Amino acid sequence: MRTALRTAVATALLTGLAVTPVFATGTAFAADGPAATAEDGTFVRTETLYNGTVVKIYKLGPTWYRAESFKNGQSIGSVEANARAAAGNDNGNYLVLFEDGRTLAWRGNVVSPAELGLYRLADGTVVELGKNPKDGRFGLRSVDKTGQGSGFVYAYHPVRSVWTYGKAVVVLENDGGLAAYVPGQAGQAAPVYLGAGVNPKPAPKPGTVLSGPTANGCTVTEKIASVFPYWTVTLTNDLKKGPKAVLKDDTDKVVGTADRQHPVDGRYGLKIEGADATTPKLGQRTQGGDMPYRWVDFPKLPENCTATPTTTPSATPTTAPATGTGTQGGQTTVVPRGGVAAGAEFGTVEHANDTALLASGAGAAAVVAAGLGLTALRRRAADRG
């Protein structure tokens, strides 16, 4: 926090945080549409919120949950998360439903409308709000202590999107409104505007080889640019163990993997085809549903590495080692999501039915919307991977 920064970032990290009271535990629901029936889901639990609203949680798939809200016995809408967190907003009461069924909610801590530029979150994290020049979507990116910005991640849902930056869960409305909450932290505050943003180096084109390939026997490794700006994928092609793809974010943290045994990571859009062959391919995408994959080849094995390793003759018969056939299964992990009415009070209400939050990443999210004057589109992914 004491490191010298560029002016705006220094201000962000050194300025004191406003403190707002923490209310009784609860999960504020933001009604976003007519509640779907529970016929296609398995009931998980019921939560009673701080304001008396009742929320019922249903499981629709491995990483697919729905939260239905009721007031005075009447359904007021639902929020649905499919492979990615989703959020609702009920006049400044925010609900985030994670793709593993956890919920988090708070009241206030919102800036709407928000100017483009840098914002300090309540945990000191600095993010930049930007806009895609091609389609006008709002997006966010993190800004480090040196003032360097990562790549923008743009809104992926018609109403609002959810990401985690630092320790803060951030909801970005599609009109540019910005709300954030730091779970477990007593001092909460709306994002604080710091001024104009920074101009990072352009991200490499997805699939661009950043290093390698390097070979060590019958194992070859190379690093390529991910479909997520400034993220990377390390590709390893091993004759014995098979292919493996490791996705890392812009801080070099591992966020997703796919390999022979688990060729699909639906949370971050990784998919390996030909996992049992010597020439596999990696597919990447930033959303689920019908979005196509971008395909790249794994690095080629050396010419002397064959599909079936040979054995040395001996007096005792031996069996050549198998190349290893893994399960061609599905997802391996649970998953890197409108404005607020004027006069919304600033405070906090927190509820989390589990501990650590998951970083929002890529996948598909659907928010089923209608009710309380709020609109959205209900969207279900064509597949759950």
Side-chain angles (χ1 to χ4, degrees):
M1 288 289 189
R2 302 191 182 200
T3 304
L5 312 175
R6 295 184 185 179
T7 304
V9 179
T11 304
L13 297 176
L14 297 177
T15 302
L17 301 177
V19 177
T20 54
V22 177
F23 293 92
T25 300
T27 307
F29 179 81
D32 270 349
T37 64
E39 296 178 358
D40 54 348
T42 301
F43 176 75
V44 177
R45 68 183 183 277
T46 298
E47 298 178 1
T48 301
L49 310 184
Y50 68 98
N51 61 355
T53 299
V54 175
V55 175
K56 295 184 178 181
I57 308 297
Y58 294 88
K59 183 175 182 179
L60 307 180
T63 57
W64 189 2
Y65 286 80
R66 183 174 64 245
E68 298 185 359
S69 179
F70 299 84
K71 285 185 177 180
N72 299 320
Q74 299 295 316
S75 174
I76 60 172
S78 65
V79 169
E80 200 166 293
N82 186 352
R84 200 168 190 174
N89 173 11
D90 178 10
N91 194 30
N93 292 293
Y94 285 88
L95 169 73
V96 173
L97 174 65
F98 294 95
E99 64 279 9
D100 62 356
R102 291 176 300 113
T103 57
L104 178 70
W106 69 91
R107 178 173 177 79
N109 297 343
V110 62
V111 179
S112 182
E115 292 186 59
L116 300 182
L118 296 171
Y119 287 83
R120 185 196 68 236
L121 307 180
D123 67 341
T125 299
V126 177
V127 297
E128 182 180 359
L129 176 65
K131 201 170 187 179
N132 191 321
K134 294 182 179 180
D135 57 22
R137 287 182 300 156
F138 287 94
L140 291 171
R141 66 179 174 186
S142 61
V143 179
D144 64 23
K145 294 181 180 181
T146 69
Q148 178 66 42
S150 64
F152 275 106
V153 181
Y154 294 100
Y156 56 82
H157 189 271
V159 178
R160 60 186 60 87
S161 304
V162 181
W163 295 282
T164 298
Y165 288 98
K167 297 179 180 179
V169 177
V170 181
V171 176
L172 175 63
E173 304 282 356
N174 277 18
D175 66 355
L178 195 61
Y181 188 83
V182 183
Q185 180 171 297
Q188 300 289 336
V192 177
Y193 181 68
L194 305 170
V198 295
N199 295 310
K201 297 178 181 179
K205 182 179 178 181
T208 300
V209 176
L210 304 177
S211 65
T214 57
N216 181 12
C218 289
T219 302
V220 186
T221 303
E222 74 177 8
K223 182 186 292 186
I224 65 171
S226 167
V227 292
F228 299 103
Y230 301 93
W231 290 20
T232 64
V233 182
T234 299
L235 302 176
T236 301
N237 195 2
D238 187 296
L239 179 63
K240 183 177 181 180
K241 298 179 180 179
K244 183 175 183 179
V246 178
L247 176 66
K248 295 183 178 181
D249 64 16
D250 55 335
T251 67
D252 209 35
K253 176 184 176 182
V254 175
V255 293
T257 61
D259 55 26
R260 174 178 283 172
Q261 298 299 319
H262 306 285
V264 177
D265 184 341
R267 180 180 179 186
Y268 285 105
L270 299 176
K271 182 178 181 180
I272 296 177
E273 282 199 351
D276 295 314
T278 57
T279 56
K281 293 179 179 291
L282 174 71
Q284 298 183 79
R285 62 182 181 179
T286 58
Q287 289 182 238
D290 297 328
M291 172 172 277
Y293 286 94
R294 287 175 174 259
W295 295 97
V296 295
D297 294 325
F298 275 77
K300 294 182 178 180
L301 292 171
E303 293 182 0
N304 61 336
C305 295
T306 60
T308 305
T310 58
T311 59
T312 303
S314 63
T316 303
T318 59
T319 303
T323 58
T325 301
T327 302
Q328 298 295 319
Q331 297 179 188
T332 64
T333 57
V334 185
V335 126
R337 40 210 210 333
V340 178
E345 296 178 9
F346 283 59
T348 60
V349 177
E350 176 186 1
H351 173 83
N353 53 35
D354 204 343
T355 52
L357 291 173
L358 298 180
S360 305
V367 176
V368 181
L372 295 180
L374 301 170
T375 60
L377 298 176
R378 176 169 183 168
R379 177 172 138 200
R380 292 187 183 267
D383 60 2
R384 298 179 183 175

